Amino acid sequence: MTITATYDVTGMSCQHCIDAVTAEVGRLPGVEQVQVDLAAGRVTVLSADPLELADVRSAVDEAGFDLAS
């Protein structure tokens, strides 16, 4: 079963932003796919198991951005 979760991310504005967020979130254990909607500021993650919000927040932070509250 695949879990789908969507997160609001602030500060993304270009292809480099998409690449950075995709790479960092994609490194989390169990992540199968990362889709970034730049215009909406949303990141959709498909994973084998539910992800811990703190782990996603840390990955987005490592990419240089912030999860919206």
Side-chain angles (χ1 to χ4, degrees), residues 38-51:
L38 190 62
R42 289 196 179 97
V43 176
T44 301
V45 182
L46 282 64
S47 60
D49 297 304
L51 300 173

Side-chain angles (χ1 to χ4, degrees), residues 20-21 24-25 27 55-66:
V21 170
E24 291 298 332
V25 174
R27 288 187 181 105
D55 293 339
V56 176
R57 186 177 305 281
S58 179
V60 170
D61 183 62
E62 187 66 29
F65 306 98
D66 295 306

Side-chain angles (χ1 to χ4, degrees), residues 2-64:
T2 300
I3 307 294
T4 302
T6 301
Y7 306 93
D8 292 325
V9 177
T10 59
M12 298 185 301
S13 62
C14 64
Q15 185 63 47
H16 173 74
C17 301
I18 293 170
D19 295 343
V21 170
T22 300
E24 291 298 332
V25 174
R27 288 187 181 105
L28 294 174
V31 170
E32 298 170 357
Q33 184 177 7
V34 179
Q35 300 170 334
V36 177
D37 182 339
L38 190 62
R42 289 196 179 97
V43 176
T44 301
V45 182
L46 282 64
S47 60
D49 297 304
L51 300 173
E52 293 291 328
L53 183 59
D55 293 339
V56 176
R57 186 177 305 281
S58 179
V60 170
D61 183 62
E62 187 66 29

